[in-house]
């Protein structure tokens, strides 16, 4: 199998969003062409509740999916459709905003909040699909373990083990991988897919020709048939995320991402007029 090489490494920057949540925006607007179909990755890692408990009060989304995965922590959520719940340790909320939801996401005070929110673009044909939530609890996430590696399969599959979802609109693989020091593993990926890895902790080699990549970086991989990762001396924990690019025009206005400016203007007009929720 042809190993993918590193195409780009991004570290993002500290940002404040919602009512004042400190996070790292690993990638967003600037990188959207490279990471298609992924629009944005926000990483949370804090031991200070003052940095995140102001939360993300009521706000709209349309035209995207948000995938919130927590390694540690608790995020209470509620929405305009009447859904409420909590994302807990090892759990994931897969929200299809589709034609529109208004929701709030409120991280609760814990010893350490550790996780990430990924935005997946919806294809033109599904921008206005019916909104939906998938609450993926930790006990429904299969774990593939072999003594030196642990892979939690949130979406897609790994070594024949399928996760609870596969991506209804954009086929998406989402793995949470832990490797002991010096351990190498290969992750076959359809050559058509955009693949990146986000390092949560530790460091690793993602390319036999490059140095170790430190924590809190996203490594965008070039073309090929597999990603080959070797953990450096302290081991590594990373998210491996792959999806099929859409190659469609993007009109992005904050929490709403459509294909044209007209569709964006229409969405904000509907928000003003109170007709946003279908
Ligand atoms: Mn949101």
């Amino acid at each position: 199998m042809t190993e993918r090489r590193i195409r780009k490494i991004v570290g993002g920057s500290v940002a404040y969003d919602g009512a004042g949540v400190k996070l790292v925006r690993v990638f967003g607007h600037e990188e959207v062409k490279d990471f298609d179909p992924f629009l944005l990755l926000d990483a949370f890692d804090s031991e200070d509740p003052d940095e995140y408990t102001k939360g993300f009060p009521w706000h709209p989304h349309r035209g995207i999916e948000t995938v919130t995965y927590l390694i540690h922590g608790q995020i209470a959520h509620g929405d305009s459709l009447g859904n409420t719940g909590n994302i807990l340790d090892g759990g994931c909320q897969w929200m299809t905003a589709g034609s529109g939801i208004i929701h709030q996401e409120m991280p609760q005070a814990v010893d350490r909040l550790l996780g990430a929110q990924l935005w997946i673009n919806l294809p033109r044909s599904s921008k206005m699909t019916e909104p939906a939530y998938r609450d993926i609890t930790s006990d429904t996430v299969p774990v593939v373990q072999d003594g030196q590696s642990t892979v939690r399969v949130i979406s897609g599959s790994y070594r024949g083990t399928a996760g609870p979802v596969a991506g209804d609109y954009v086929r998406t693989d989402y793995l949470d991988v832990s490797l002991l020091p010096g351990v190498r593993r290969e992750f076959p990926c359809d050559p058509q897919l955009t693949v990146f890895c986000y390092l949560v902790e530790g460091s690793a080699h993602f390319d036999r020709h490059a140095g170790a990549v430190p924590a809190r970086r996203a490594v965008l991989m070039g073309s090929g048939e597999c990603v080959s990762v070797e953990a450096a001396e302290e081991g590594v924990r990373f998210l491996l995320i792959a999806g099929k690019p859409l190659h469609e025009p993007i009109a992005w206005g904050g929490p709403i991402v459509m294909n044209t400016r007209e569709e964006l203007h229409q969405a904000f007009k509907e928000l003003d007029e109170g007709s946003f929720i279908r």
Side-chain angles (χ1 to χ4, degrees):
M1 278 190 290
T2 324
E3 290 179 7
R4 290 178 182 247
R5 309 257 323 250
I6 294 174
R7 188 172 144 211
K8 189 176 184 179
I9 299 173
V10 295
S13 53
V14 172
Y16 291 84
D17 208 339
V21 177
K22 187 181 180 186
L23 51 84
V24 174
R25 180 138 304 154
V26 182
F27 64 81
H29 282 265
E30 303 301 310
E31 294 85 15
V32 74
K33 278 203 172 69
D34 288 337
F35 284 84
D36 180 22
F38 306 113
L39 296 167
L40 174 151
L41 184 73
D42 281 344
F44 311 101
D45 184 0
S46 175
E47 295 179 353
D48 178 1
D50 289 341
E51 291 183 344
Y52 58 78
T53 47
K54 293 189 189 77
F56 305 89
W58 298 101
H59 60 278
H61 289 291
R62 173 179 284 179
I64 62 170
E65 296 186 284
T66 65
V67 177
T68 309
Y69 176 54
L70 281 187
I71 293 172
H72 301 295
Q74 179 179 358
I75 298 180
H77 68 91
D79 78 4
S80 52
L81 307 172
N83 299 302
T84 57
N86 281 284
I87 313 169
L88 300 170
D89 285 10
C92 179
Q93 181 196 68
W94 199 294
M95 184 198 72
T96 305
S99 62
I101 57 104
I102 296 176
H103 76 162
Q104 61 172 349
E105 302 154 283
M106 307 302 286
Q108 306 296 300
V110 288
D111 56 340
R112 185 183 182 188
L113 178 70
L114 180 63
Q117 183 171 88
L118 175 73
W119 290 16
I120 307 175
N121 202 4
L122 280 170
R124 188 194 296 268
S125 57
S126 304
K127 286 277 185 202
M128 297 299 280
T129 194
E130 198 178 325
Y133 278 89
R134 284 249 177 86
D135 274 312
I136 301 167
T137 52
S138 184
D139 58 309
T140 65
V141 176
V143 183
V144 181
Q145 262 178 319
D146 67 8
Q148 293 190 300
S149 66
T150 303
V151 179
R152 306 187 81 235
V153 187
I154 296 139
S155 180
S157 66
Y158 175 67
R159 288 199 203 161
T161 297
V165 296
D168 290 344
Y169 300 99
V170 174
R171 210 183 92 208
T172 301
D173 298 324
Y174 196 131
L175 307 178
D176 172 6
V177 181
S178 300
L179 302 178
L180 292 180
V183 172
R184 176 182 289 277
R185 287 289 177 272
E186 285 192 348
F187 302 86
C189 301
D190 182 330
Q192 293 185 344
L193 305 186
T194 300
V195 182
F196 74 91
C197 298
Y198 176 71
L199 284 90
V200 177
E201 290 176 314
S203 59
H205 296 266
F206 288 80
D207 185 327
R208 289 176 200 270
H209 309 275
V213 180
R216 292 182 282 283
R217 303 287 190 282
V219 184
L220 178 68
M221 305 305 299
S223 57
E225 294 163 311
C226 76
V227 178
S228 180
V229 186
E230 184 178 317
E233 50 275 9
E234 71 269 48
V236 69
R237 183 167 192 169
F238 65 96
L239 309 175
L240 186 153
I241 297 170
K244 195 167 181 214
L246 298 173
H247 304 299
E248 290 182 359
I250 289 170
W252 188 334
I256 298 172
V257 184
M258 304 303 289
N259 295 111
T260 68
R261 293 180 64 82
E262 291 68 30
E263 290 165 343
L264 209 51
H265 289 147
Q266 180 66 26
F268 284 105
K269 186 163 166 274
E270 289 175 12
L271 273 172
D272 283 345
E273 295 172 350
S275 58
F276 183 75
I277 300 299
R278 301 297 166 107

